Amino acid sequence: MISRRTFFKLLAGTAAGILSLGGYAGGVEPLLRLETTRYKLSPRGWPKGRPLRIVALADFHACEPWMPAERIARICDYANTLGGDVILMLGDYMSGMKLVTGVVPPDDWARALSVLKAPYGVHAVCGNHDWWQDSQAQELRLKETVAHKALRAVGINAMSNSAARLGPADQPFWVAGLEDQWAYLTGNHRMRGLDDLPGTLAQVTDTAPVILLAHEPDIFPSVPNRVSLTLSGHTHGGQVNLFGWTPVVPSRYGSRYVYGHHEEGGRNLIVSGGLGCSVAPIRFGSPPEILVIDLV
């Protein structure tokens, strides 16, 4: 089976020869389009008559020239206009792409993210690239990364197998943030996660509803009914979606959770298509997006 990296390298090379496709996939969709994708649902465990609007952002992959700090700030300014009661970020602020002209330092992308504001705060988890691009965290097997520290330095709640009780006293809800499932590179294209789902949910101390943040959607089959909604990123909607066919999806479930709303056994998952690019600066049929989710 073709690897994700090999596929995107082949596609990037092909795009150079197919100008119409390459121009759109490399210059229009990843840079000039920004969708606002809206969902409205009443998940199990969410109290009737308790509306909550979530604005969710995923997979910035900050780098020059594709996702500079200035572009991140513009996206965040727009996100602030969407009326979110809470803003949730789903990981991968760092970029591992080779086809870049420069690195955006964590302090710079975090400063751009710091403009995000919402009544119940801004809460985030980190993703696999935040771990993979931190050489010290990999070498020393640290429990957190420079990305966690950069987020916290600007007042964003960077979660790591932790939970926070939010909302008014008479209508609380929990946000639980799972640490990354692919955190450590172990060789031979294998990864070891730091996720602790039981330990994270054990911090939920009452019956208020729970929203789970998990960068990779692969955890979803293990998520208990106690969780009203799981939010994930990571897949970029396939990044290349050829009229419903997503050739390469970084998930052990293939295309099962590649994008959008999934309901299984009454449990709900929404997977964001994300904002940036991984491996190659190409998007086709999967434009950058911000999620607006109304729970009712």
Side-chain angles (χ1 to χ4, degrees), residues 66-77:
W66 315 109
M67 187 63 76
E70 295 79 10
R71 185 182 178 199
I72 294 173
R74 289 196 302 271
I75 291 171
C76 292
D77 284 337

Side-chain angles (χ1 to χ4, degrees), residues 60-62 92-96 104-106 109 129-130 133-134 146-147:
F60 278 97
H61 291 281
D92 272 4
Y93 316 97
M94 307 280 278
S95 174
V104 178
W109 57 249
H129 281 282
D130 303 316
Q133 305 313 311
D134 187 335
V146 294

Side-chain angles (χ1 to χ4, degrees), residues 3-184:
S3 73
R4 187 174 189 239
R5 182 171 295 276
T6 300
F7 172 79
F8 283 130
K9 285 183 176 179
L10 287 172
L11 186 59
T14 302
I18 307 175
L19 296 180
S20 58
L21 174 61
Y24 176 80
V28 176
E29 188 161 302
L31 291 174
L32 302 180
R33 290 187 64 184
L34 178 61
E35 301 289 320
T36 303
T37 305
R38 298 177 183 271
Y39 298 91
K40 185 176 182 179
L41 63 155
S42 300
R44 182 168 58 190
W46 193 263
K48 298 294 183 184
R50 188 181 299 181
L52 181 78
R53 173 165 288 186
I54 300 166
V55 172
L57 305 98
D59 300 287
F60 278 97
H61 291 281
C63 63
E64 298 280 359
W66 315 109
M67 187 63 76
E70 295 79 10
R71 185 182 178 199
I72 294 173
R74 289 196 302 271
I75 291 171
C76 292
D77 284 337
Y78 171 66
N80 283 338
T81 71
L82 296 173
D85 297 306
V86 64
I87 294 178
L88 304 177
M89 296 196 294
L90 305 175
D92 272 4
Y93 316 97
M94 307 280 278
S95 174
M97 278 200 302
K98 304 298 184 184
L99 299 173
V100 300
T101 60
V103 173
V104 178
D107 288 350
D108 291 353
W109 57 249
R111 190 177 305 111
L113 292 173
S114 71
V115 305
L116 291 168
K117 305 295 179 187
Y120 300 139
V122 182
H123 309 270
V125 291
C126 288
N128 58 300
H129 281 282
D130 303 316
W131 281 95
W132 296 356
Q133 305 313 311
D134 187 335
S135 58
Q136 188 175 48
Q138 291 294 317
E139 180 182 356
L140 301 178
R141 291 299 192 246
L142 301 179
K143 298 304 180 184
E144 292 190 341
T145 69
V146 294
H148 291 85
K149 297 172 184 176
L151 290 166
R152 292 186 185 129
V154 296
I156 294 172
N157 178 24
M159 310 184 80
S160 179
N161 293 326
S162 57
R165 191 175 189 266
L166 306 174
D170 60 337
Q171 294 184 333
F173 65 96
W174 291 84
V175 170
L178 195 67
E179 194 48 80
D180 192 67
Q181 301 157 62
W182 291 17
Y184 292 150

